[in-house]
C-alpha cells in the first residue's frame, strides 16, 4: 500500500500506467452498472438453458422449453390457414350474386381477390388495374365493359377467358379488317364519324352511312356497342386502344384483338369468385339483375 500513489485532488489511486506523462486513475465502476452487468450475465445463462442458442454441426441447441421461431411461425400459419379455409368455405356456400348482402364476407372476398390479383393479373392490367392503352389491356376501374360488368359476367370472363382455344365457352369475337373493302377516303369518313360519336369531331354524313352499312351490325346504329359480341361502346369517350385518328384508322384496317387466359383449372373456383368480387368492387361494377321467369323474355345463358 505504501507504494500506491494517490491523486491528491480526488483521493483516487493511480493504476501505475503512464503515456507521455498522462497517468490513469483507478476509478471504480458505478455499482448500478456492475449490478446491471451481473443481471445480464444471469439472464444470458437462463436464456441459453431455456431457448435455442448455440449452433451445432447439424442443428442448434433446442433449450429445455422446446420453443423455436420456426415452430411458432408454423403455428401462426396454421391458424391463419384455418381462418382462410373457414372464409373460403363460407364464400363457396353463398351464391356469388348474393355475396354483397353479407358485408363482412364480401370484404373478406375482396381482400382475397386483391391478393390474387397482385399475383396473377397485374402483369397486364397493372397494379392499380388501370390497364395499358398502348397494349390494349382494359382499364378495370371505369364503368365500360365489353362483355358485362355484373359480378357473374366478370366471373364468367375470368373462368373461360377471352379467345381461348380449347374452351367452347370462351368469350370470342373478331373484328374484320376493312383494308381493301373501304377506300382510303371512306376509311377517313368512318373515322370522322366514330370520333364524332364521343364529341371528338364534327359528324360526317358519308361516314355515318358507311358505319351503318359496315359497323352497326356489331357496334349498333348509335355506336353503343354490343356485349353479345364484345363490341366496344364507341360513344362513351372511353377508348381501349386510343382515340386519335391514327389509332382508329389502324384498328379499322388492321384490327388488334386481345386475349385473356382462362383461369379455370389454374385457379380454384373460390379464388376466381374472390377475383370477380375484387374487380367488381373497383368502381365500375354493375348490379346483378335476375330475370324473372317470363316466356316472353329471352335470357342469354352466357352473361
Amino acid at each position: 500500500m505504501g507504494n500506491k500513489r494517490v491523486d491528491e485532488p480526488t483521493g483516487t489511486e493511480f493504476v501505475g500506467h503512464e503515456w507521455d506523462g498522462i497517468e490513469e486513475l483507478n476509478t471504480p465502476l458505478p455499482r448500478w452498472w456492475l449490478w446491471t452487468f451481473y443481471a445480464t450475465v444471469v439472464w444470458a445463462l437462463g436464456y441459453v438453458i431455456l431457448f435455442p442458442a448455440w449452433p451445432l454441426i447439424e442443428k442448434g441447441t433446442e433449450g429445455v422449453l422446446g420453443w423455436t421461431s420456426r415452430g411458432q411461425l408454423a403455428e401462426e400459419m396454421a391458424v391463419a390457414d384455418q381462418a382462410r379455409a373457414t372464409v373460403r368455405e363460407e364464400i363457396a356456400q353463398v351464391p356469388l350474386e348474393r355475396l354483397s348482402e353479407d358485408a363482412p364476407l364480401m370484404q373478406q372476398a375482396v381482400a382475397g381477390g386483391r391478393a390474387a390479383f397482385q399475383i396473377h393479373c397485374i402483369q397486364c392490367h397493372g397494379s392499380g388495374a388501370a390497364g395499358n392503352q398502348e397494349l390494349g389491356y382494359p382499364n378495370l376501374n371505369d364503368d365500360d365493359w365489353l362483355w358485362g360488368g355484373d359480378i357473374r359476367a366478370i366471373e364468367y370472363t375470368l373462368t373461360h377467358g377471352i379467345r381461348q382455344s380449347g374452351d367452347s365457352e370462351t368469350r370470342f369475337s373478331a373484328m374484320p379488317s376493312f383494308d381493301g373493302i373501304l377506300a382510303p377516303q371512306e376509311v377517313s369518313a368512318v373515322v370522322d364519324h366514330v370520333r364524332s360519336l364521343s364529341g371528338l369531331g364534327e359528324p360526317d354524313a358519308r361516314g355515318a352511312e358507311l358505319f351503318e352499312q359496315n359497323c352497326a351490325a356489331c357496334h349498333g346504329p348509335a355506336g353503343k356497342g354490343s356485349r353479345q359480341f364484345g363490341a366496344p361502346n364507341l360513344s362513351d369517350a372511353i377508348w381501349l386502344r386510343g382515340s386519335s385518328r391514327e389509332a382508329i384508322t389502324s384498328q379499322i384496317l388492321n384490327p388488334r384483338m386481345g386475349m385473356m387466359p382462362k383461369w379455370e383449372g389454374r385457379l380454384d373456383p373460390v379464388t376466381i369468385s374472390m377475383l370477380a368480387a375484387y374487380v367488381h368492387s373497383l368502381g365500375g361494377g354493375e348490379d346483378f339483375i335476375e330475370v324473372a321467369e317470363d316466356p316472353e323474355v329471352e335470357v342469354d345463358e352466357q352473361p
Side-chain angles (χ1 to χ4, degrees):
M1 295 291 295
N3 295 329
K4 294 292 185 179
R5 295 176 56 245
V6 177
D7 180 54
E8 293 182 2
T10 62
T12 306
E13 296 180 353
F14 288 98
V15 297
H17 302 153
E18 179 182 343
W19 294 274
D20 294 334
I22 300 174
E23 295 184 84
E24 183 180 359
L25 298 179
N26 188 18
T27 304
L29 293 169
R31 287 186 177 276
W32 66 265
W33 192 96
L34 287 172
W35 285 111
T36 302
F37 174 73
Y38 297 149
T40 59
V41 172
V42 173
W43 182 87
L45 292 174
Y47 185 94
V48 169
I49 295 171
L50 297 175
F51 297 98
W54 295 100
L56 304 176
I57 296 177
E58 295 183 356
K59 62 178 182 178
T61 56
E62 296 181 356
V64 297
L65 295 180
W67 177 92
T68 63
S69 57
R70 289 185 178 181
Q72 181 181 9
L73 175 61
E75 292 176 2
E76 293 174 354
M77 292 296 293
V79 172
D81 289 342
Q82 182 58 45
R84 283 194 294 268
T86 301
V87 171
R88 291 173 65 86
E89 291 173 3
E90 293 177 358
I91 293 174
Q93 294 172 2
V94 178
L96 190 57
E97 62 274 12
R98 304 295 184 193
L99 193 58
S100 60
E101 297 174 5
D102 187 335
L105 190 59
M106 182 64 172
Q107 291 176 356
Q108 294 278 6
V110 170
R114 181 184 298 108
F117 190 91
Q118 295 301 314
I119 296 173
H120 302 288
C121 310
I122 64 172
Q123 294 82 357
C124 295
H125 293 286
S127 58
N132 186 312
Q133 191 174 86
E134 182 179 351
L135 299 176
Y137 299 135
N139 183 351
L140 303 179
N141 296 290
D142 57 35
D143 58 357
D144 193 49
W145 300 93
L146 293 177
W147 303 96
D150 67 73
I151 197 168
R152 276 292 185 190
I154 296 170
E155 181 198 40
Y156 189 98
T157 300
L158 287 165
T159 301
H160 299 288
I162 307 292
R163 301 180 182 90
Q164 290 296 296
S165 60
D167 189 330
S168 60
E169 298 182 81
T170 189
R171 306 286 201 188
F172 187 85
S173 65
M175 176 176 171
S177 168
F178 288 91
D179 187 15
I181 298 177
L182 297 178
Q185 298 84 351
E186 294 176 321
V187 172
S188 179
V190 172
V191 170
D192 287 336
H193 174 70
V194 169
R195 285 171 53 82
S196 73
L197 293 176
S198 57
L200 295 179
E202 296 297 325
D204 185 288
R206 178 55 176 158
E209 180 183 354
L210 290 167
F211 185 91
E212 176 66 27
Q213 295 171 355
N214 297 278
C215 314
C218 294
H219 292 283
K224 298 293 186 181
S226 170
R227 292 179 177 180
Q228 180 181 0
F229 305 112
N233 184 346
L234 303 177
S235 63
D236 58 5
I238 298 176
W239 301 88
L240 181 61
R241 296 187 180 275
S243 60
S244 66
R245 290 187 56 83
E246 294 76 11
I248 298 174
T249 300
S250 176
Q251 190 65 10
I252 292 174
L253 298 178
N254 184 29
R256 295 177 294 166
M257 290 161 287
M259 298 179 64
M260 174 179 162
K262 55 174 287 188
W263 293 104
E264 184 180 46
R266 302 174 65 182
L267 297 177
D268 60 87
V270 174
T271 300
I272 292 176
S273 295
M274 291 192 295
L275 270 171
Y278 172 66
V279 172
H280 186 268
S281 74
L282 289 175
E286 301 171 347
D287 292 335
F288 178 82
I289 301 176
E290 280 189 305
V291 180
E293 294 185 4
D294 187 335
E296 296 182 359
V297 177
E298 295 184 2
V299 181
D300 186 358
E301 294 182 355
Q302 176 174 304

